[in-house]
Amino acid sequence: MALDMKGKGKELKERVVAFRRQFHQHPELSREEVETAETIRQFLQEEGIPFEDGFATHGVLGIINGGKPGKTVALRADMDALPIEEKNDRPYVSRVKGKMHACGHDAHTAMLMGTAALLNRNKEEIAGKVLLVFQPAEELGPVGGASVMMEDGLFKKHEPDVIFAQHMWPDLQVGEVGVMAGPVMGNSDQFTLTIKGAGGHASMPHQGKDAIVIAAQVINHLQTIVSRNVDPLESAVVTFGTIQGGDRYNVIPSSVTIEGTVRTNRDDVKEKVKNRLQKSIDGFAMANEVEIELNYSDGYPATMNSPEWEETVRSAVHSLLGEHATPHVNPSLGGEDFGRFLQRYPGFYIWLGTAIPERSIQKPLHDAEFDVNEESLVIGTELLAQLACDALKRLAVEN
């Protein structure tokens, strides 16, 4: 019989909330997670949980060895913040100018620490091993931290049979969890276009090749890649995030640089969009007699939840929160580095409801006013622990 974690996280609530607020007040960007990693190491030492570190520079791996032999389950949390100036009015707002936990990674890390304490207190009843993966640089696409951690030997000594992770989700209420098999998050690619025209005086445009005018045409046309090349029942997005060119109102610039992203949830759709992007750029370059350079970076792969683990995950949620805790949800095209773990190991990624009741409109992830409902922290702590226990039980039965 698997351990029942319902209600066992309540005694850890104050500690988990305190850790979350500590991380929130002292955010560290990708590859800068020095103090965050040190706090995790100190915590693991205090709990008597063995650990290894140095993966992708600041990554930490905690290891809980159960009192009985069995398989291995991994639980992952990301640690890094974003370069955003926080605009919330809370006593625990970021104390670091221009840096903020605007994606809930502070909560992810704190909940995994709570889960570690919960499992460690019950380790004699656990049949198997639980790996606690504290990942840096999740926001640093397209490289990220997951693949670097694995290249650094994260699972060389301890390889998981299955891996789980969760993400704060403001579109769901506290007590609700997003559970779906297949693609839950999308392919997240980046591209840069550099249009190399010819500069000149604003009053004599015929003497140059106006990169700004060409850029405007390119931006408008590339929006038709999705609307006229991708099946309407499939998901794809082409979005432009930056455009830079020109220094003065009466000077035609010689070049314009545009940055954007392509989001899809199927590889074949991704390749179609990618190919159409290149062909369209080539056509514009020829028509305007300019050079247009496309630098396309394949980013995070789609986060593909293993269908064979859906029922186990849904059952764990229901055991803690009831039969109505898993409402229907649609996939997101947000990128997630956890997809790289799922390319190598079976696993599942869930969304944890964290809507704030007093807000009529929930602030989305990566917004300067994003915050989490701290009532969700105990739920997430217990849920990760329950998933680990239920998965180990299932793996023991299957083997």
Side-chain angles (χ1 to χ4, degrees), residues 22-247:
Q22 177 183 342
F23 294 138
H24 194 87
Q25 288 179 307
H26 305 281
E28 296 177 302
L29 302 182
S30 302
R31 293 183 178 170
E32 299 177 1
E33 306 94 336
V34 178
E35 295 302 322
T36 303
E38 179 58 24
T39 299
I40 293 167
R41 286 192 293 267
Q42 290 178 1
F43 162 79
L44 294 174
Q45 287 177 334
E46 292 169 2
E47 290 291 319
I49 299 174
F51 67 87
E52 301 171 2
D53 62 358
F55 305 103
T57 306
H58 301 304
V60 181
L61 175 67
I63 305 143
I64 296 178
N65 293 299
K68 306 170 186 176
K71 296 294 184 175
T72 302
V73 171
L75 306 174
R76 173 273 206 172
D78 35 18
M79 306 155 58
D80 52 333
L82 287 158
I84 295 173
E85 183 71 24
E86 184 163 9
K87 294 182 180 179
N88 281 313
D89 182 17
R90 306 280 193 187
Y92 50 82
V93 295
S94 172
R95 296 180 180 178
V96 185
K97 185 174 178 59
K99 299 179 184 180
M100 174 194 175
H101 271 292
C103 201
H105 296 188
D106 50 344
H108 301 167
T109 300
M111 288 187 294
L112 185 55
M113 294 166 74
T115 297
L118 193 54
L119 291 172
N120 198 45
R121 293 177 185 182
N122 295 275
K123 66 180 180 181
E124 292 306 316
E125 299 179 61
I126 294 176
K129 183 181 299 181
V130 180
L131 305 178
L132 312 163
V133 180
F134 295 93
Q135 181 201 320
E138 193 282 327
E139 298 287 358
L140 197 64
V143 178
S147 59
V148 180
M149 289 188 82
M150 289 186 283
E151 289 167 4
D152 286 348
L154 174 67
F155 297 136
K156 184 176 182 180
K157 297 179 183 177
H158 318 277
E159 191 166 30
D161 295 288
V162 63
I163 184 168
F164 299 102
Q166 61 183 346
H167 201 297
M168 310 306 279
W169 211 250
D171 293 336
L172 293 172
Q173 300 299 314
V174 171
E176 294 182 332
V177 180
V179 178
M180 74 192 86
V184 59
M185 306 288 279
N187 292 303
S188 174
D189 299 342
Q190 301 176 28
F191 65 85
T192 300
L193 296 176
T194 303
I195 301 171
K196 301 177 181 179
H201 196 285
S203 67
M204 294 173 277
H206 60 290
Q207 294 181 354
K209 296 184 184 299
D210 195 331
I212 285 182
V213 171
I214 297 170
Q217 295 171 352
V218 167
I219 290 172
N220 283 329
H221 176 77
L222 294 186
Q223 292 301 316
T224 66
I225 289 178
V226 173
S227 67
R228 290 299 176 267
N229 293 274
V230 176
D231 186 332
L233 299 180
E234 298 292 346
S235 297
V237 170
V238 175
T239 295
F240 299 95
T242 71
I243 176 169
Q244 299 182 19
D247 298 301

Side-chain angles (χ1 to χ4, degrees), residues 325-350:
T326 54
H328 173 76
V329 288
N330 293 316
S332 167
L333 288 182
E336 171 53 63
D337 199 11
F338 188 68
R340 291 206 168 116
F341 286 121
L342 293 181
Q343 284 185 319
R344 299 196 189 186
Y345 303 99
F348 221 88
Y349 186 79
I350 58 176

Side-chain angles (χ1 to χ4, degrees), residues 306-321:
S306 306
E308 67 270 23
W309 282 97
E310 180 181 10
E311 185 52 40
T312 298
V313 174
R314 198 175 295 276
S315 177
V317 175
H318 291 169
S319 69
L320 294 177
L321 301 170

